[in-house]
Protein backbone atom coordinates (compact mmCIF):
# COMPACT_ATOMS: atom_id res chain seq x y z
CA UNK A 1 0.00 0.00 0.00
CA UNK A 2 1.19 3.56 -0.66
CA UNK A 3 2.92 5.39 2.17
CA UNK A 4 2.50 8.85 0.60
CA UNK A 5 -0.81 10.48 -0.34
CA UNK A 6 -1.60 12.88 -3.18
CA UNK A 7 -1.12 15.74 -0.73
CA UNK A 8 2.22 14.34 0.52
CA UNK A 9 3.54 13.97 -3.03
CA UNK A 10 2.29 17.42 -4.07
CA UNK A 11 4.01 19.00 -1.05
CA UNK A 12 7.20 17.04 -1.82
CA UNK A 13 7.24 18.29 -5.43
CA UNK A 14 6.66 21.89 -4.33
CA UNK A 15 9.46 21.67 -1.77
CA UNK A 16 12.09 19.69 -3.73
CA UNK A 17 11.27 20.70 -7.33
CA UNK A 18 9.65 24.17 -7.17
CA UNK A 19 10.47 24.72 -10.86
CA UNK A 20 7.80 22.16 -11.87
CA UNK A 21 5.34 22.32 -8.97
CA UNK A 22 2.60 23.90 -11.10
CA UNK A 23 3.08 21.71 -14.19
CA UNK A 24 1.88 18.40 -12.77
CA UNK A 25 -1.33 17.49 -10.98
CA UNK A 26 -1.42 14.13 -9.22
CA UNK A 27 -4.89 12.65 -9.68
CA UNK A 28 -4.66 9.18 -8.16
CA UNK A 29 -2.32 7.15 -5.98
CA UNK A 30 -2.89 3.41 -5.73
CA UNK A 31 -0.93 0.31 -4.77
CA UNK A 32 2.01 0.17 -7.24
CA UNK A 33 0.45 2.85 -9.44
CA UNK A 34 -0.33 6.51 -9.96
CA UNK A 35 -2.02 8.86 -12.43
CA UNK A 36 -0.65 12.36 -13.07
CA UNK A 37 -1.73 15.16 -15.42
CA UNK A 38 0.48 17.57 -17.34
CA UNK A 39 -1.23 20.90 -17.84
CA UNK A 40 -0.24 21.48 -21.47
CA UNK A 41 0.71 25.07 -22.28
CA UNK A 42 2.20 26.86 -25.28
CA UNK A 43 5.75 26.25 -24.00
CA UNK A 44 5.23 22.48 -24.27
CA UNK A 45 4.52 22.61 -28.00
CA UNK A 46 6.87 22.03 -30.90
CA UNK A 47 6.46 23.41 -34.42
CA UNK A 48 3.25 22.04 -35.88
CA UNK A 49 1.39 22.51 -32.59
CA UNK A 50 1.95 19.11 -31.02
CA UNK A 51 3.38 18.38 -27.58
CA UNK A 52 7.14 17.90 -27.80
CA UNK A 53 8.88 14.58 -27.14
CA UNK A 54 10.96 16.01 -24.27
CA UNK A 55 7.74 17.18 -22.61
CA UNK A 56 6.25 13.69 -22.84
CA UNK A 57 9.50 12.21 -21.49
CA UNK A 58 9.28 14.62 -18.56
CA UNK A 59 5.73 13.50 -17.81
CA UNK A 60 6.69 9.82 -17.94
CA UNK A 61 9.75 10.43 -15.76
CA UNK A 62 7.78 12.34 -13.13
CA UNK A 63 5.04 9.69 -13.17
CA UNK A 64 7.47 6.86 -12.43
CA UNK A 65 9.39 8.91 -9.85
CA UNK A 66 6.21 9.83 -7.95
CA UNK A 67 4.88 6.28 -8.15
CA UNK A 68 8.08 4.98 -6.55
CA UNK A 69 8.02 7.64 -3.83
CA UNK A 70 4.36 6.92 -3.11
CA UNK A 71 5.41 3.35 -2.27
CA UNK A 72 8.71 3.89 -0.42
CA UNK A 73 8.49 7.43 0.97
CA UNK A 74 10.30 10.68 0.15
CA UNK A 75 13.68 9.58 -1.23
CA UNK A 76 14.67 12.66 -3.21
CA UNK A 77 17.87 11.05 -4.54
CA UNK A 78 16.19 8.23 -6.47
CA UNK A 79 17.40 8.70 -10.05
CA UNK A 80 16.54 7.53 -13.55
CA UNK A 81 19.04 5.00 -14.90
CA UNK A 82 17.25 3.96 -18.10
CA UNK A 83 14.34 5.01 -20.28
CA UNK A 84 12.68 3.62 -23.37
CA UNK A 85 9.84 5.59 -24.90
CA UNK A 86 7.65 4.88 -27.91
CA UNK A 87 5.79 7.80 -29.48
CA UNK A 88 2.70 6.23 -31.06
CA UNK A 89 0.48 9.05 -32.28
CA UNK A 90 0.16 12.80 -32.24
CA UNK A 91 -1.43 14.15 -29.04
CA UNK A 92 -4.65 16.11 -29.36
CA UNK A 93 -4.13 19.86 -29.76
CA UNK A 94 -4.47 22.08 -26.69
CA UNK A 95 -5.32 19.12 -24.46
CA UNK A 96 -3.73 18.01 -21.19
CA UNK A 97 -1.76 14.79 -21.15
CA UNK A 98 -2.49 12.13 -18.56
CA UNK A 99 0.09 9.51 -17.55
CA UNK A 100 -0.96 6.27 -15.92
CA UNK A 101 2.01 4.53 -14.30
CA UNK A 102 2.32 1.01 -12.94
CA UNK A 103 5.39 -0.30 -11.17
CA UNK A 104 6.47 -3.62 -12.66
CA UNK A 105 9.21 -4.14 -10.06
CA UNK A 106 9.98 -2.47 -6.78
CA UNK A 107 13.17 -3.82 -5.24
CA UNK A 108 15.61 -2.53 -2.65
CA UNK A 109 17.94 -1.01 -5.27
CA UNK A 110 15.99 -0.82 -8.56
CA UNK A 111 12.44 -0.03 -9.59
CA UNK A 112 10.91 -0.40 -13.05
CA UNK A 113 7.79 1.48 -14.08
CA UNK A 114 5.63 1.36 -17.18
CA UNK A 115 3.68 4.46 -18.19
CA UNK A 116 0.96 5.03 -20.78
CA UNK A 117 0.41 8.65 -21.80
CA UNK A 118 -2.91 9.71 -23.29
CA UNK A 119 -4.46 12.95 -24.42
CA UNK A 120 -7.18 13.75 -21.90
CA UNK A 121 -10.45 12.16 -22.99
CA UNK A 122 -8.89 9.84 -25.57
CA UNK A 123 -8.56 6.08 -25.11
CA UNK A 124 -5.63 5.42 -27.47
CA UNK A 125 -2.22 6.16 -25.92
CA UNK A 126 0.05 8.74 -27.54
CA UNK A 127 3.20 7.30 -25.91
CA UNK A 128 4.43 4.43 -23.78
CA UNK A 129 7.53 4.64 -21.61
CA UNK A 130 9.40 2.18 -19.43
CA UNK A 131 11.85 3.66 -16.93
CA UNK A 132 14.29 2.13 -14.47
CA UNK A 133 15.19 3.99 -11.30
CA UNK A 134 18.03 3.48 -8.87
CA UNK A 135 16.89 3.77 -5.27
CA UNK A 136 19.44 5.15 -2.77
CA UNK A 137 20.51 2.74 -0.02
CA UNK A 138 19.26 3.20 3.53
CA UNK A 139 21.80 4.80 5.86
Amino acid sequence: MPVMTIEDLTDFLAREFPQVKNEFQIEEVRDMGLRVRLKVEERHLRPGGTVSGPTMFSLADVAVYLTILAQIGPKALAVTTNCSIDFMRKPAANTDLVADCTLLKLGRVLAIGDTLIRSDGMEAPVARATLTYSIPPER
Side-chain angles (χ1 to χ4, degrees):
M1 293 301 296
V3 297
M4 293 182 77
T5 65
I6 290 173
E7 293 78 20
D8 295 334
L9 291 166
T10 301
D11 291 345
F12 176 85
L13 266 186
R15 183 176 60 252
E16 299 295 332
F17 299 97
Q19 66 273 25
V20 299
K21 70 178 180 180
N22 295 320
E23 279 192 53
F24 302 101
Q25 178 184 347
I26 304 158
E27 296 186 341
E28 178 188 24
V29 175
R30 59 187 183 278
D31 189 30
M32 300 293 277
L34 178 140
R35 185 175 58 245
V36 62
R37 173 181 302 267
L38 171 73
K39 302 169 193 172
V40 174
E41 298 176 4
E42 186 72 27
R43 63 193 161 102
H44 298 121
L45 303 181
R46 65 178 305 278
T50 189
V51 177
S52 71
T55 298
M56 287 189 267
F57 167 80
S58 177
L59 175 58
D61 194 40
V62 165
V64 174
Y65 183 65
L66 292 174
T67 304
I68 293 167
L69 297 187
Q71 305 304 309
I72 67 172
K75 309 242 189 236
L77 297 180
V79 295
T80 308
T81 60
N82 189 53
C83 176
S84 173
I85 188 165
D86 296 304
F87 300 102
M88 297 184 272
R89 57 188 49 83
K90 183 178 178 178
N94 301 314
T95 303
D96 289 352
L97 292 180
V98 179
D100 196 349
C101 178
T102 302
L103 291 183
L104 304 176
K105 173 190 165 109
L106 180 58
R108 288 181 307 105
V109 178
L110 291 178
I112 300 169
D114 191 64
T115 302
L116 283 178
I117 299 174
R118 294 180 172 88
S119 289
D120 190 30
M122 296 181 66
E123 186 60 32
V126 298
R128 177 182 174 265
T130 302
L131 288 93
T132 302
Y133 261 78
S134 175
I135 301 169
E138 294 290 328
R139 298 208 182 232

